[in-house]
Amino acid sequence: MTKNKFLLIKSQAGMGNRILNLLGSILYSQITQRTIIVDWSDEVYSDDYSNVFPQLFTLKNIDQETEIPDTDSVFPYIWKTNLHKTIGATLRENNLPNEGWFTRNPVTWSVSRVKFSCTNRQEDVLVNWSYFSDINQMRKSLIGEFKSFSYLDEKTIQKHICKKHLFVDKEVVKRVDYFKNKYFNQKNIGVHIRCTDRRNPFDKYLEIIDNIVRNDSEICIFLATDNYHVQNHLKKIYGERVVFQQKWFPKTDSTIDRLHFNPDCPDKLENAFQALVL
């Protein structure tokens, strides 16, 4: 292990994108022999800007640290005096485009995060954030002890990393077990319907569900959705056969606001737990 070399992981995304970014970062930290630091102290899942990651996950079988080092040896350079700040605050301070939460401006991306295709940077701290795992950027570095990954697709690599290194907190496991034991039958189907910032074809889902449950009254329908109206609609159609994680929804009738970015959320950490239990 290279001494005093770190990969600092920031985020400003929802739970799924955070996990993808984390999995890719774990692999990059191993390839570059860096100690990993996960800093989820942004405003999405924290009410007080504290780092919520240790309350949700545990990392195992990997070099990790919790304290952000005090150093000027940082890349990208805009993070030199901003290592403890959020992505949004750092972008604003440097007058960089910050187009809402899904910052996809190419200028912003190029100057605010390390590229995983580059594995030879010498700065003490590299900063990464992304909505994806970006594992394919590391294909040329999958040699030596990582050669077995070179034959696998991105999703399979993600599964390997997740299984070996990323573990949800015992509170999440407890909630999942409680939900499963209370609501699941011997036969269950899971339905994930996004209907806020991204729209799944709702009518097509109903057609698929009907084809599966039409001739079997014992099938339980486990619904994961970010839209209150979708939840109510399926409940009206299928009644008690539909089960779902109780969670907070905004009081407004808006169908486009993502739950994890809504400023009216009364408990952001609880919102994170609910996202994981789904």
Side-chain angles (χ1 to χ4, degrees):
M1 172 60 61
T2 304
K3 293 183 178 179
N4 302 320
K5 300 293 185 182
F6 302 91
L7 176 66
L8 175 60
I9 304 169
K10 298 281 187 175
S11 187
Q12 64 171 12
M15 189 58 65
N17 292 109
R18 285 172 187 256
I19 293 174
L20 287 176
N21 180 31
L22 179 58
L23 296 178
S25 297
I26 289 172
L27 179 58
Y28 182 80
S29 72
Q30 293 178 316
I31 291 173
T32 58
Q33 296 187 307
R34 288 178 174 270
T35 298
I36 204 169
I37 305 173
V38 185
D39 180 26
W40 285 4
S41 56
D42 55 279
E43 59 269 58
V44 178
Y45 289 122
S46 176
D47 292 300
D48 58 1
Y49 289 90
S50 60
N51 187 5
V52 300
F53 179 78
Q55 301 182 66
L56 303 172
F57 294 99
T58 298
L59 290 176
K60 297 182 180 180
N61 308 310
I62 190 172
D63 289 294
Q64 57 185 305
E65 181 58 73
T66 57
E67 296 296 325
I68 299 175
D70 183 12
T71 178
D72 290 329
S73 179
V74 175
F75 183 85
Y77 304 120
I78 67 167
W79 291 98
K80 271 194 174 183
T81 59
N82 297 312
L83 288 179
H84 291 274
K85 295 182 180 180
T86 65
I87 296 170
T90 301
L91 296 180
R92 288 190 294 270
E93 184 170 311
N94 287 271
N95 296 315
L96 287 167
N98 185 19
E99 301 169 356
W101 291 112
F102 275 80
T103 307
R104 298 183 181 275
N105 186 287
V107 175
T108 298
W109 278 65
S110 65
V111 301
S112 64
R113 52 189 287 267
V114 65
K115 293 182 179 179
F116 281 175
S117 57
C118 179
T119 59
N120 60 354
R121 297 213 64 97
Q122 297 303 306
E123 290 84 0
D124 291 345
V125 178
L126 304 183
V127 181
N128 178 59
W129 68 275
S130 178
Y131 303 116
F132 315 105
S133 67
D134 298 321
I135 286 175
N136 286 332
Q137 293 184 17
M138 296 177 267
R139 286 289 175 184
K140 292 182 178 180
S141 300
L142 297 180
I143 57 178
E145 63 180 295
F146 305 102
K147 188 174 182 179
S148 61
F149 281 171
S150 66
Y151 306 106
L152 305 177
D153 61 69
E154 191 172 30
K155 288 186 177 180
T156 303
I157 296 173
Q158 292 169 1
K159 291 178 182 178
H160 278 276
I161 297 170
C162 190
K163 185 176 181 180
K164 184 176 181 180
H165 299 294
L166 185 61
F167 298 85
V168 293
D169 184 78
K170 60 183 179 181
E171 173 62 24
V172 178
V173 176
K174 179 181 178 181
R175 294 190 187 198
V176 170
D177 288 342
Y178 174 82
F179 184 92
K180 180 180 67 175
N181 293 333
K182 183 175 181 179
Y183 294 109
F184 278 11
N185 296 331
Q186 294 296 317
K187 300 178 182 179
N188 307 276
I189 64 168
V191 183
H192 182 198
I193 303 178
R194 288 189 66 165
C195 203
T196 54
D197 60 314
R198 295 186 181 181
R199 299 297 184 92
N200 293 135
F202 184 64
D203 292 340
K204 187 66 175 180
Y205 270 91
L206 294 180
E207 179 183 336
I208 295 172
I209 294 171
D210 282 336
N211 289 335
I212 295 174
V213 306
R214 182 184 301 128
N215 299 318
D216 194 335
S217 61
E218 296 182 359
I219 294 180
C220 169
I221 304 168
F222 172 43
L223 172 66
T225 185
D226 57 359
N227 190 297
Y228 178 76
H229 302 289
V230 168
Q231 182 173 289
N232 278 355
H233 190 64
L234 261 70
K235 193 71 175 177
K236 288 179 181 179
I237 296 176
Y238 300 106
E240 298 302 318
R241 301 178 69 178
V242 178
V243 299
F244 43 80
Q245 160 74 30
Q246 295 291 340
K247 58 180 175 292
W248 171 83
F249 286 105
K251 293 181 180 180
T252 66
D253 290 331
S254 172
T255 61
I256 61 174
D257 292 331
R258 287 158 284 178
L259 300 185
H260 52 278
F261 286 144
N262 195 299
D264 297 327
C265 180
D267 189 334
K268 295 179 180 179
L269 179 59
E270 176 60 24
N271 198 3
F273 275 109
Q274 291 172 359
L276 285 171
V277 173
L278 282 179

